[in-house]
Amino acid sequence: MTERISIGQLYPNAVSPSSTRRTPMQQVPLAGNPTFQKLFQDQFVKFSHHAEVRLKERGIQLKPEQIEKMNNAIDKAASKGAKDALLILAGNGYIVNVPNRTVVTALDGQAMNDHVFTQIDSAMIIS
C-alpha cells in the first residue's frame, strides 16, 4: 500500500462546511408541510391589482362583514370543485379564482347591466 491518496480523490465534489450552514432567517419548508405564512394566506380572500383598480374606479367599498361573507362563499365554492366563480354581493359582482382565493375583477350594478360573464364555472348570490 504505497499509493498516496489525497482528499480530493476521495471526495471529488466536496462541499465546504460553511456553505451547508443555514442562516437564521432562511426557511426550508419540509415536503408536504407548508409554512405557517402559506397556511395563513390561504385562509383569506386576496384582491388582484386589476380588481383593486376596478374597486377604486367604481367606488366600491367592502366592509369587513362583506369580506367575511365572501370568504365563506369561496369556501363553499371550493367544496363544490369550482375554479372561477361569479359572486354577487350587495348588488356588486366579483369574479373570483377559487383555488387562489383571489378576486380577479369587480363590477358595480351599472357595469353588470347587460354584461355577459364568460370563463366562469359557477355563480353564487350572497345575501
Side-chain angles (χ1 to χ4, degrees):
M1 239 192 188
T2 59
E3 285 185 37
R4 196 169 169 189
I5 299 173
S6 67
I7 299 294
Q9 289 174 335
L10 288 175
Y11 305 103
N13 296 326
V15 178
S16 66
S18 64
S19 67
T20 60
R21 291 186 192 139
R22 279 188 248 155
T23 61
M25 303 268 304
Q26 194 177 15
Q27 286 185 344
V28 180
L30 300 174
N33 292 337
T35 63
F36 175 76
Q37 184 176 6
K38 174 79 172 125
L39 288 172
F40 185 72
Q41 287 176 345
D42 288 348
Q43 299 302 313
F44 297 103
V45 64
K46 298 173 279 244
F47 293 84
S48 69
H49 176 72
H50 177 80
E52 289 175 356
V53 169
R54 293 294 175 257
L55 288 169
K56 287 179 187 173
E57 281 178 355
R58 296 176 173 145
I60 301 171
Q61 295 182 349
L62 289 166
K63 298 175 184 165
E65 54 271 7
Q66 290 175 317
I67 293 175
E68 185 60 33
K69 287 181 180 182
M70 199 178 285
N71 260 329
N72 294 336
I74 292 170
D75 289 339
K76 288 179 186 176
S79 71
K80 298 289 184 178
K83 302 289 184 225
D84 293 295
L86 166 65
L87 304 180
I88 299 176
L89 173 66
N92 299 317
Y94 305 92
I95 303 292
V96 178
N97 180 283
V98 176
N100 294 332
R101 303 185 69 82
T102 303
V103 176
V104 178
T105 194
L107 301 109
D108 60 359
Q110 182 72 22
M112 287 195 325
N113 238 3
D114 294 327
H115 189 85
V116 176
F117 295 95
T118 59
Q119 299 181 358
I120 62 169
D121 58 18
S122 56
M124 284 184 79
I125 300 172
I126 306 167
S127 58

